[in-house]
Amino acid sequence: MKANALSMLSAPRGEPLHLESVSKRFGEVQALSEVSFSAEPGEVIALCGPSGAGKSTLGRMISGLDMPDSGSVHLGGLVLSDMAAQQRRVAHMFESLALYPTLDVFSNVASPLRAPSHRGLFNAAEIAAQVEAILVMMDIAQLSKRRPSELSGGQRQRVALCRTLVQSPSLFILDEPIGHLDAKLRHRLRGEINRRQRALDQVTLWLTPDTLEGMAVADRVVMLIDGKVQQIGSPREVYAAPASTSIARLLGDPAMNLIDIWLKQEADGLKVLCNGVRLQVAESFLARLKATGQLRLTLGFPPLHSRLDDPTALAGLRGDIYTVEPFGKYTLVTVEVNGAYVKAKLPAGFQITVGSSVLVGIPTEHVLLFDHESGVLIDEAAAALHNKKTTAPNPLHSEA
Ligand SMILES: Nc1ncnc2c1ncn2[C@@H]1O[C@H](COP(=O)(O)OP(=O)(O)OP(=O)(O)O)[C@@H](O)[C@H]1O
């Protein structure tokens, strides 16, 4: 073994990653549009977004398996996008896994350490020690002699993960690394991999359609929707203030309630309607709605804080119990309000008859307001500033 080469290989210096306006089109599909973000050495970044958002395409642009139409990828002083894939030293775990079908588990995992680029750097004992350690961590050491065709989907996924994590690259890309595992294993490995990657100096990009998983593992979350970066922030920031209804729909389990409301002037005053049903609102909350200056809004609030028939609620909607789902730790109740559905996460053992009429309390202190047309979060401070500056009349002020 060449000591200097090994120490360079086993502990490359962590470098910041920077993507500058990366775009990619496949025929009619604009898979990525001007994607820019940066990551500090050692940061775990979750790249989250629904199926087709462009996560895997972006991963391929970074590792060099595909080239962007425009834009660039930088790692420290290197322009990765000008380099061949094999020079980039990116450890990329593919969603498709891409295992070697004729090699057993051990040889699949050892393959990057035996690659021509590593020739002479590790002796057989060192390779065996590294491979065995990672197989033990993933709980598949007993499968080391099997071929991929003799494994379950979850076992194959763990082999691909081992083959990626055994490397000492400049950057890790993990494309849905735990998606095919059962819940218990997913939970354990999420923690193990997270702990391991956080201890390294390299950037890790964790690609997942499961935003909660991304939030659990990442220092920061990049929300990618329709090939565009819609929000970047810490998990706490994105959860507390999703930039749009598209992002809000991806948060929480179950996701945030989103209901469209209409502020309508009637003979006896300003009323708030949801699907034609009148929302019962306290003056303080009505004032908040009016302050947006908009007649149509989308309200977002988490099911966790919704209560039924709560006399202290500052806002409520009358509807009928649609479903009652006891999940053990809690009961999820869905209420139908004239075709709109509101979910409330209630204590375990909560019972109510389907079809009964209830007032769903809207937890106003947790409500986020979104623009009805664009779905963009209305930042109240910014909106207040904007309203002061604009000369256009506020329709609510004239109607109220
Ligand atoms: N080689 C290709 N040829 C044509 N279209 C492609 C190709 N690769 C990806 N696309 C399209 O680009 C878009 C982004 O795909 P991509 O696989 O990056 O999404 P994703 O966010 O990784 O989705 P998933 O979570 O389902 O894996 C999709 O509309 C997809 O159909």
Side-chain angles (χ1 to χ4, degrees), residues 24-27 29-32 48-60 66 95 175-176 207-209 224 227:
K24 181 72 182 177
R25 172 180 278 277
F26 297 107
V29 179
Q30 186 68 45
L32 297 171
C48 300
S51 181
K55 305 179 294 294
S56 299
T57 302
L58 192 60
R60 288 202 303 274
D66 210 341
E95 195 184 354
D175 195 345
E176 300 199 29
L207 281 45
T208 176
L224 191 69

Side-chain angles (χ1 to χ4, degrees), residues 55-201:
K55 305 179 294 294
S56 299
T57 302
L58 192 60
R60 288 202 303 274
M61 302 291 133
I62 298 169
S63 66
L65 297 176
D66 210 341
M67 296 301 285
D69 297 335
S70 56
S72 53
V73 181
H74 305 252
L75 191 72
L78 298 175
V79 185
L80 288 193
S81 37
D82 288 347
M83 295 164 66
Q86 55 277 20
Q87 292 175 325
R88 298 188 188 193
R89 294 196 50 203
V90 174
H92 190 160
M93 178 191 165
F94 306 99
E95 195 184 354
S96 65
L97 309 184
L99 297 177
Y100 298 112
T102 56
L103 298 184
D104 66 15
V105 166
F106 184 97
S107 297
N108 259 289
V109 176
S111 58
L113 306 181
R114 291 171 172 164
S117 56
H118 292 53
R119 188 150 293 143
L121 291 175
F122 300 108
N123 63 35
E126 286 161 348
I127 291 177
Q130 292 188 50
V131 172
E132 273 154 27
I134 196 89
L135 292 178
V136 167
M137 176 185 154
M138 293 288 166
D139 213 6
I140 48 171
Q142 71 286 6
L143 305 175
S144 66
K145 294 281 168 256
R146 294 214 202 154
R147 299 236 170 121
S149 59
E150 297 164 331
L151 302 172
S152 71
Q155 289 166 341
R156 280 200 286 273
Q157 187 165 37
R158 280 181 280 165
V159 176
L161 246 178
C162 287
R163 189 178 60 181
T164 306
L165 298 183
V166 80
Q167 302 174 49
S168 302
S170 303
L171 173 75
F172 290 90
I173 300 175
L174 308 179
D175 195 345
E176 300 199 29
I178 55 174
H180 298 159
L181 307 181
D182 68 59
K184 200 170 151 204
L185 198 56
R186 207 164 53 228
H187 190 69
R188 183 175 79 74
L189 289 187
R190 191 179 64 201
E192 290 281 353
I193 303 166
N194 184 22
R195 199 178 137 82
R196 188 185 156 95
Q197 296 308 104
R198 278 166 183 263
L200 299 174
D201 272 347

Side-chain angles (χ1 to χ4, degrees), residues 204-220:
T204 299
L205 295 180
W206 183 302
L207 281 45
T208 176
D210 181 343
T211 312
L212 288 187
E213 175 189 301
M215 289 184 155
V217 297
D219 297 303
R220 285 187 303 141

